[in-house]
Amino acid sequence: MRLPLSEHASSIPLLSTSASLPPLVSRLPDIVQYYTVLNAGTLSDLKSSLSPYIPPEKNFDALWRRADGACRALFSLSLEDVLYSWTGSEFAAFGLEGHSLPVFAVQIRDEAKRAEIFDQVLSSFLIKDDMSLIIDGVRLPRITVPSFIESLLAVCNISIPSPYYLVHDGYIFFSVAPEALSAVYTSMKTSGRLSKTAYWRAVSDSLSNDVQVSLFYNLERSIPFFLRTPGVHTKILELYTIGRADLRIKDGDAVVSLHAVARHAQDARAVPGFPVPLEGKAVPEILAEPGKNPSMLFWLEDGTKICSFDSSSMEQKSIVLPERLTLSSPNQAVNKNGVLWAVTQSGAVYLFDRNLEVISPFPVLTGERPSAGGAAYGGDALLVPLTGGSLCLVNSSGSVSLIQLPATGQLRSAPAVSGTTAAVYEKSFAGKIWLIENGALTNGDNPLSVPGIAFGSPALIRKGSLLYVAFITQAGAFYLWENGELRDGFPLQLDGVFYLNAEASGSYFYVLDSTAVLTRIGVDGSILRVAVPASTARNGFLTVAEPEKSGRASLYVCPDGNTLYGFSSSLELLSGFPVSGWGRPAFADVNGDKRADCFTLTLDNTLTAWNVR
């Protein structure tokens, strides 16, 4: 669309600037899921162009003079020196897979001048420069923005409270989420480029890349911050999965280009009637009731609201507890009708039936605060880790007993359970794994030793009289014990960083690293790998399920973003995948065909069902 500019346009800096290629777009890594780039002039040009259109009640000119006076008094610098002397003509906001908070970028025109200005400003007693945070080997300073700068930004509805920053490759990046900046640094050095992905090319091949303003979004993998508020523009853009809009000035005209595609290759498998919008913010895990052909699903919203969905009738119910809680699903019905465990942050344990009615004699009070969620144990009990470093066992009759552990560290994850065997990791630099059998500690004098930090709980495989325990550290050391003895050839050193621990099924263990490489490890030490395309998994999910009939494992990988992949035990992509989804899926029959459908939650807070089997 071409719009002629007025004869006065040449006097407005932003409208007299020729369109050019924003260098940042070609450098953005492939984990970027949306961006807004402004490439229309310097900060001085922006001020000159936009200030006449700011409503008079905002008192922008007075705010600017007040801020300039404060700058001169505090730093012996004018506001123009602080903002104009080192910044270039490119500004951006973008989002990454798995990170809800955006990153802001400013082009650096003069790095020596920027360093000089920062040194002078940050040496002031009014502004704190915290250099203590290091993530993945990257030092991320944090600054406190002065109030007069905040007041200027507030005019444009921008708030940057105490941001971290990163200087890299000619740009300075700001974010209140340090892990997002760490991901920017790592991915810009190692990963592919957004401009090479099929998503970006789907809406970019027909567009010129010389622009003043450019916007891109990909709803298949994330929800941009500019689509999280209701409005007409939101409803229009959400009709299309991927979109890009550009503005350029050419030959005295403003040229607006929009290219959007509804790219839903998997929509043919979507179950009619879905997605179902949710009222609250859901925890990304769906639980199915125990037993064959389940129809009832459960999840948690807003930390205190338990929700249920009957896939056979589409009926929804909910109940709100007075404090935050975690949910666990038993392997079989407890007390005939119990299908869902809940543990509150103060240690109250509930057992619910499929109608979300509390089963007597619950709730029971353990008198202890849990340190993580509980795990169903032995068919009729719940095993809960405590802040004091021990375990609490609550059985179906409501009785409570403690399993004392000689632990000095913290139990940060729900125990792993296989029948009446359980394992829990005591997190510390000299970590230990404690084993429980029939409700009693079995290795109190000889815990399994795990040097180095790790996340999650061990994985267990029981084969007759043999018990295999697997565990992986963050640095990739994979341990495997057989009946308490470390097997020959272990630990194996795997490449990558691991924020999830191992999962088990059949004769294999499965691990997922931060670059979304899925690895299968046999008890004999054999290794098979597959990479999830164009993904990272710093905040991902790995779920193992064993269908009742086949007994063969199916693996479900949700990397950072809004996509769920399904794999067989031989790491072959399952038919019908990937689908949209976030977190851990569940399976229930929604259409009465005696085949379980895949239910997922999504980043835009809906419940979705897919016919993939």
Side-chain angles (χ1 to χ4, degrees):
M1 179 173 61
R2 186 180 293 267
L3 302 173
L5 298 175
S6 70
E7 60 183 6
H8 303 292
S10 59
S11 63
I12 302 175
L14 294 188
L15 300 182
S16 61
T17 304
S18 299
S20 61
L21 174 68
L24 182 62
V25 172
S26 63
R27 303 181 190 184
L28 289 174
D30 54 13
I31 64 171
V32 169
Q33 294 305 296
Y34 62 84
Y35 66 67
T36 301
V37 175
L38 180 62
N39 182 43
T42 64
L43 281 176
S44 178
D45 295 334
L46 291 174
K47 176 178 178 291
S48 299
S49 300
L50 299 179
S51 58
Y53 300 96
I54 296 176
E57 61 269 19
K58 297 288 187 177
N59 294 319
F60 179 76
D61 290 337
L63 285 173
W64 183 271
R65 290 192 298 271
R66 191 179 309 127
D68 182 67
C71 246
R72 294 176 185 274
L74 296 174
F75 313 128
S76 299
L77 294 168
S78 68
L79 191 56
E80 287 84 355
D81 289 333
V82 173
L83 299 179
Y84 295 167
S85 63
W86 58 274
T87 54
S89 59
E90 191 178 0
F91 310 90
F94 58 88
L96 308 175
E97 290 180 0
H99 298 275
S100 60
L101 297 173
V103 176
F104 299 89
V106 177
Q107 186 183 45
I108 299 174
R109 178 173 54 84
D110 186 338
E111 169 56 23
K113 189 65 176 178
R114 183 209 65 80
E116 176 187 336
I117 293 294
F118 271 50
D119 286 344
Q120 189 166 348
V121 170
L122 295 177
S123 64
S124 167
F125 68 93
L126 293 177
I127 300 181
K128 181 181 180 181
D129 182 9
D130 184 356
M131 297 287 290
S132 61
L133 183 63
I134 299 178
I135 297 182
D136 294 340
V138 183
R139 185 178 294 277
L140 299 174
R142 187 182 191 186
I143 59 176
T144 301
V145 178
S147 59
F148 61 85
I149 295 290
E150 287 186 337
S151 63
L152 284 174
L153 295 176
V155 173
C156 301
N157 294 320
I158 297 174
S159 176
I160 309 181
S162 302
Y164 294 88
Y165 69 90
L166 167 71
V167 177
H168 179 67
D169 199 20
Y171 293 84
I172 184 168
F173 302 91
F174 296 93
S175 180
V176 297
E179 62 275 9
L181 294 182
S182 175
V184 168
Y185 177 81
T186 302
S187 57
M188 289 186 76
K189 288 174 66 69
T190 61
S191 75
R193 293 290 175 257
L194 176 66
S195 57
K196 294 182 179 181
T197 64
Y199 304 104
W200 190 84
R201 288 194 174 279
V203 292
S204 299
D205 283 347
S206 62
L207 299 181
S208 171
N209 290 316
D210 290 341
V211 297
Q212 269 92 357
V213 182
S214 182
L215 178 151
F216 166 81
Y217 68 90
N218 176 8
L219 295 183
E220 286 189 345
R221 309 279 294 278
S222 66
I223 305 298
F225 68 93
F226 49 78
L227 293 184
R228 293 176 186 167
T229 55
V232 175
H233 77 286
T234 298
K235 294 180 180 178
I236 294 174
L237 291 177
E238 283 182 342
L239 295 175
Y240 302 92
T241 314
I242 308 169
R244 176 178 160 185
D246 295 337
L247 169 67
R248 65 180 55 83
I249 308 300
K250 184 177 181 180
D251 300 330
D253 294 336
V255 181
V256 180
S257 303
L258 173 63
H259 190 185
V261 295
R263 183 171 177 168
H264 291 290
Q266 67 273 30
D267 281 358
R269 297 177 176 85
V271 175
F274 292 87
V276 175
L278 306 182
E279 294 181 353
K281 184 63 177 176
V283 173
E285 179 178 23
I286 307 177
L287 301 176
E289 63 178 329
K292 296 182 180 180
N293 301 320
S295 64
M296 192 66 68
L297 303 173
F298 306 95
W299 65 90
L300 185 64
E301 294 182 9
D302 299 328
T304 61
K305 182 181 179 182
I306 304 173
C307 301
S308 70
F309 179 85
D310 190 339
S311 62
S312 61
S313 66
M314 303 288 283
E315 181 182 9
Q316 299 182 60
K317 292 183 179 180
S318 65
I319 182 174
V320 178
L321 296 189
E323 55 183 346
R324 300 187 71 83
L325 62 128
T326 59
L327 299 178
S328 304
S329 178
N331 300 321
Q332 62 188 46
V334 180
N335 286 351
K336 296 183 179 181
N337 298 318
V339 298
L340 185 69
W341 291 103
V343 182
T344 70
Q345 63 183 7
S346 64
V349 176
Y350 292 76
L351 180 62
F352 295 93
D353 66 14
R354 65 197 319 268
N355 296 314
L356 293 184
E357 297 289 339
V358 181
I359 293 178
S360 179
F362 294 90
V364 299
L365 302 179
T366 64
E368 305 281 351
R369 293 186 67 86
S371 58
Y377 178 74
D380 65 346
L382 186 71
L383 196 58
V384 183
L386 305 175
T387 56
S390 293
L391 297 169
C392 180
L393 184 63
V394 183
N395 68 23
S396 57
S397 66
S399 66
V400 178
S401 60
L402 291 181
I403 303 174
Q404 298 290 346
L405 304 181
T408 57
Q410 291 291 318
L411 309 180
R412 298 291 181 85
S413 301
V417 176
S418 177
T420 59
T421 304
V424 63
Y425 167 57
E426 176 192 340
K427 188 170 184 177
S428 69
F429 286 103
K432 301 178 181 66
I433 295 174
W434 305 99
L435 301 178
I436 310 299
E437 187 66 51
N438 293 318
L441 177 65
T442 61
N443 67 337
D445 296 328
N446 188 29
L448 307 182
S449 177
V450 185
I453 290 295
F455 301 89
S457 289
L460 305 175
I461 291 178
R462 171 71 74 177
K463 284 186 169 294
S465 62
L466 300 178
L467 175 65
Y468 294 98
V469 180
F471 193 78
I472 191 167
T473 67
Q474 181 180 358
F478 182 85
Y479 291 80
L480 182 61
W481 293 270
E482 179 184 303
N483 288 344
E485 297 294 330
L486 191 65
R487 282 180 59 88
D488 291 341
F490 291 87
L492 297 174
Q493 184 59 51
L494 304 182
D495 294 333
V497 179
F498 295 81
Y499 296 99
L500 298 172
N501 223 291
E503 298 286 346
S505 179
S507 299
Y508 297 107
F509 297 96
Y510 302 89
V511 293
L512 182 70
D513 73 8
S514 63
T515 62
V517 173
L518 178 63
T519 302
R520 187 190 76 180
I521 304 167
V523 295
D524 59 355
S526 61
I527 292 179
L528 182 65
R529 290 189 178 93
V530 66
V532 177
S535 298
T536 62
R538 290 176 57 89
N539 299 284
F541 299 84
L542 173 60
T543 305
V544 176
E546 293 191 44
E548 288 285 342
K549 294 181 180 180
S550 69
R552 294 190 298 270
S554 296
L555 314 171
Y556 302 94
V557 176
C558 178
D560 298 334
N562 197 47
T563 306
L564 181 73
Y565 294 83
F567 295 91
S568 68
S569 59
S570 57
L571 303 192
E572 296 174 346
L573 188 65
L574 296 176
S575 176
F577 287 90
V579 297
S580 293
W582 178 47
R584 300 187 186 278
F587 295 86
D589 183 9
V590 69
N591 51 16
D593 62 358
K594 306 301 181 182
R595 294 164 62 91
D597 301 291
C598 178
F599 284 81
T600 64
L601 299 169
T602 62
L603 275 172
D604 56 347
N605 220 40
T606 66
L607 175 68
T608 305
W610 306 98
N611 187 2
V612 293
R613 297 192 180 192

